[in-house]
């Protein structure tokens, strides 16, 4: 499952960030922002038009991601603390 498929309010754990090609700068930037394996995240809001963009909380920081960016983040949904 990828992050773009998750509904608002769902908590999940990052499994991996997929590189679209070798040395993908977007995937690298997502990892730098904290989207790394094992990190708990939560979808805080989704846009009105096709859920784009979506707001994701990583730790205490919130990020707005385009749907194409969120599709690169593979997750395990329904994370329970």
């Amino acid at each position: 499952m990828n992050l773009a498929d998750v509904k608002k309010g769902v908590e999940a754990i990052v499994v991996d960030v997929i590189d679209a090609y070798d040395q993908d700068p977007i995937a690298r930037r997502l990892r730098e922002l904290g989207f790394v394996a094992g990190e708990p995240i939560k979808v805080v809001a989704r846009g009105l038009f096709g859920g784009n963009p979506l707001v994701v909380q990583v730790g205490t920081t919130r990020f707005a991601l385009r749907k194409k960016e969120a599709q690169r983040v593979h997750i395990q949904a329904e994370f329970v603390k």
Side-chain angles (χ1 to χ4, degrees), residues 7-72:
K7 295 181 180 179
K8 178 182 171 186
V10 172
E11 294 183 20
I13 294 178
V14 175
V15 174
D16 194 11
V17 176
I18 304 301
D19 290 273
Y21 49 88
D22 192 33
Q23 298 187 9
D24 182 0
I26 294 174
R28 185 182 66 223
R29 183 65 179 145
L30 288 169
R31 290 184 196 101
E32 290 172 351
L33 293 173
F35 293 90
V36 294
E39 186 67 28
I41 60 174
K42 181 178 181 181
V43 175
V44 177
R46 297 183 64 93
L48 295 176
F49 304 105
N52 196 20
L54 61 154
V55 178
V56 181
Q57 185 164 339
V58 179
T60 58
T61 307
R62 293 180 176 189
F63 301 99
L65 299 179
R66 295 179 187 96
K67 195 171 186 175
K68 290 282 187 183
E69 296 163 344
Q71 288 172 337
R72 295 176 187 216

